[in-house]
Amino acid sequence: MSVLLDPARPSLALALALALGLSQGCKRDPLGDPVLAFESADPRIGTGGGGFAQGQAFPGAALPFGMIRPGPDTNGPLLGRAGWAHCAGYWAFDDFIDGFSQTHVHGTGVEDQGLILVMATDGMSAAKRRENGYGSFFDAESEHAEPGYYTVTLTPSGIRAELTATERVAFHRYTFPATVAEPTLVIDAGHGIGRDGSLGGELSVDPATGRITGRILSTGRFTGTGGAYDLHFALELDPPPAGLGVFDDADLQPGTTVSGIRIGAHAAYPTGTTEVRVKATVSVVDAAGAAANLDSGARQDFDTVRFGAKERWSDRLRTIEIWGGSEADQRTFYSALYRSLIMPTRYDDGDGRSLGVDRVVRDFAPFYSDLSLWDTYRTAHPLYALLWPEDAAAFGESLLEMNDRLGYLPRWPLAMNEHGTMIGAPASIVLAESVLKDLPLDAHRVWTVLEAEADLGSPRPNHTTHARCAEVGFCPADEIGGGVSKAVEYGWADFAVARLAEERGDASLAAALDARSLIYTAHYDPASGFLRGKNLDGSLTEADFDPTPWNDAFVEGNAWQYLFSAPYDPVALVEMIGDRAALLERLDELFVLSEGTEPIVLGTEPFFEPDPYYWHGNEPDLHYPWLYALMGEPGRGARWIDWVRRRHYDDTPDGLAGNDDAGTLSAWYVFSALGLYPLAGSDLYLIGTPLFERALVHLPGGDLTIVSEPFEKKGERGVAVHSVTWNDEPLTDPWLTHAQLAAGGELRFLTSPLPPSPDAEPPEWGAGRPWSPRPDR
């Protein structure tokens, strides 16, 4: 990756040169120095793809879990401003930039945010009140993105835009060439991604100070009009402009204030102005909060903030140090680790106030929202729990705060709203796992909430579907859409809460929840060998059953993608399928079928269709390659774990198999590359096959070292695992607990290349029996 050094700023050039040369802070090692983490992370990976294989990655500037995310909002000749192609505002194949807005989500499958846009242009006119007027083509070769920084040159104007950020303040720098006759900035307070971002508001400008302040009633395609909320904003222009005006839906307007649905401001600078800097922030609390957030960026210049962002990201990314692998593997890994840290989003102001989901202001900080829980409970939250338990606990506290305001736990809170999108009770899984992993949360408070969530007779508004499924013994298709998927997801939550009840000594509740977690098995049809929709009278929903299309029995998937979707009780899964050998054969069949399908590539037929077998672009079957380890046969799974890593990830804009969903797919890759995978809702990690020669994971409780070395003295290391030791003791079971890993230690693999034929017998290691949450089974 290139680093843009401006010779006109020798102090910046020196600072960045020194920054890039910073030591990784480790002792000399026989393997040499570890891979440079920060330099290997590229925010543009995952910004491309098409159809069901769009990563929807955010390429702009941010800090880990930060409040503000300035970035480019683009469109182009292929898909224009199609929202579904620009959920994070940007698509790698575009050639036109509308401007640079301050708020974005990452990797979601629905467009929202993209609020308070800033754009540099040459002169102002009424036509420049909208994107087609003030927007610009850009030079793709000039684009550069690194964690915490983004830059691009606009064409044909030659204006260079740069973005960086603190936790709450976006910093913009626009450099105007001499050929720009009237250096101008446009601030559009009505812009949004996928649709206008405002239902109305007001804006004021102060020509003396160069400050622009206001409020919009913010909306979006996900938020909807019913969930609109006040977003206060404040911007400061440096130097103050020579002229500062306002506009609305109708035209450019005189004066310093304006109100309406599509409002904005424009700032004019004298000919010859070479550089204009902008500081921008938002607050969901009030105007005073926005002003205070903006003042927190006072006395900070762009270069200092960029350097500070680099330091913050370097510290985070160096949590894991790696040796070996190709440069492409290294870039893919650190870019995945980077993406896993973009969301959730912090929403409290610098003074500690936050606006709850009940729209009441309180002193509660840190407060996080934008939690895509149906996705993130599987991989992202377990990653936070292992690597950054303080952050994981803060996310849990925010969920508890939302519970107190809503009267129930959320499923998909975005900004100030619980949208209830997707299914199941994923917050219960996250919270139960947090206590099982001994995160710094109030365990009694968590238990009180989860006990109420598990009691389907309580008057919680999210209990209706779960209670009906439990009453019937399955989820009847003639009453409940997506019944098979809901049975699985509610069952996973019951399993997680059962583990916590077990830990608290409530054996009877644990047993009841364990039994309830298995109602999905009543959907199994032995004749077809799949889970199927089932009516209240017991009849199956499809006369001519085909396991590959989506149908109403499933949510975002088909019968193949939900067949093994309940890994939390492997013994019950075996009993449902018939026996362990039959289950493993069906799993092999799935992957062989999937291996034979064409990847989803722009311009090909599968572009508009998900993979009908193993679909890594979505969540229900992410754990499938790891089921082999859960069944005590990790050797059979090593090939498919590596196949997923190689086929569905790379270091290009197309490098994700689908929506990253707030870091879910990225966290999958991080775990997989380490040779580990979490069983969500438990304290268990499965053992797979590591990608790198060595990894050093700096955990709060001690360093975890993961080593892969050749099985034979003169042989090669590879994916096939012959044996594993944990702290020099042979490991028979292919799993470890959170307590074991969190305390640090050494996990050492003896490996060799995979046999060329998938039919070849893998090395034999592992327990040869399934893991069970109940050892008595």
Side-chain angles (χ1 to χ4, degrees), residues 125-150:
S125 67
K128 290 189 175 182
R129 293 176 297 116
R130 299 300 295 261
E131 293 91 345
N132 285 341
Y134 58 66
S136 172
F137 292 97
F138 65 96
D139 176 11
E141 293 298 316
S142 74
E143 267 195 305
H144 170 74
E146 64 187 44
Y149 176 78
Y150 173 89

Side-chain angles (χ1 to χ4, degrees), residues 196-209:
D196 287 350
S198 171
L199 296 176
E202 58 276 339
L203 177 149
S204 299
V205 299
D206 185 343
T209 63

Side-chain angles (χ1 to χ4, degrees), residues 150-171:
Y150 173 89
T151 186
V152 69
T153 298
L154 308 178
T155 58
S157 67
I159 298 169
R160 189 173 84 176
E162 298 175 88
L163 307 173
T164 189
T166 63
E167 193 161 52
R168 294 183 176 86
V169 184
F171 285 69

Side-chain angles (χ1 to χ4, degrees), residues 454 466 487-488 490-503 506-521 566 568-570 572-573 575 681-682 771-777:
H466 194 180
V488 168
Y490 284 125
W492 207 322
D494 284 337
F495 157 81
V497 179
R499 303 286 68 73
L500 196 54
E502 203 169 51
E503 186 176 85
D506 193 337
S508 61
L509 178 57
L513 291 174
D514 275 330
R516 197 170 76 191
S517 75
L518 301 181
I519 61 173
Y520 78 91
T521 61
Y568 42 82
D569 190 333
L573 198 58
E575 291 172 350
S682 77
W771 173 82
S772 175
R774 302 187 299 282
D776 56 303
R777 296 190 66 191

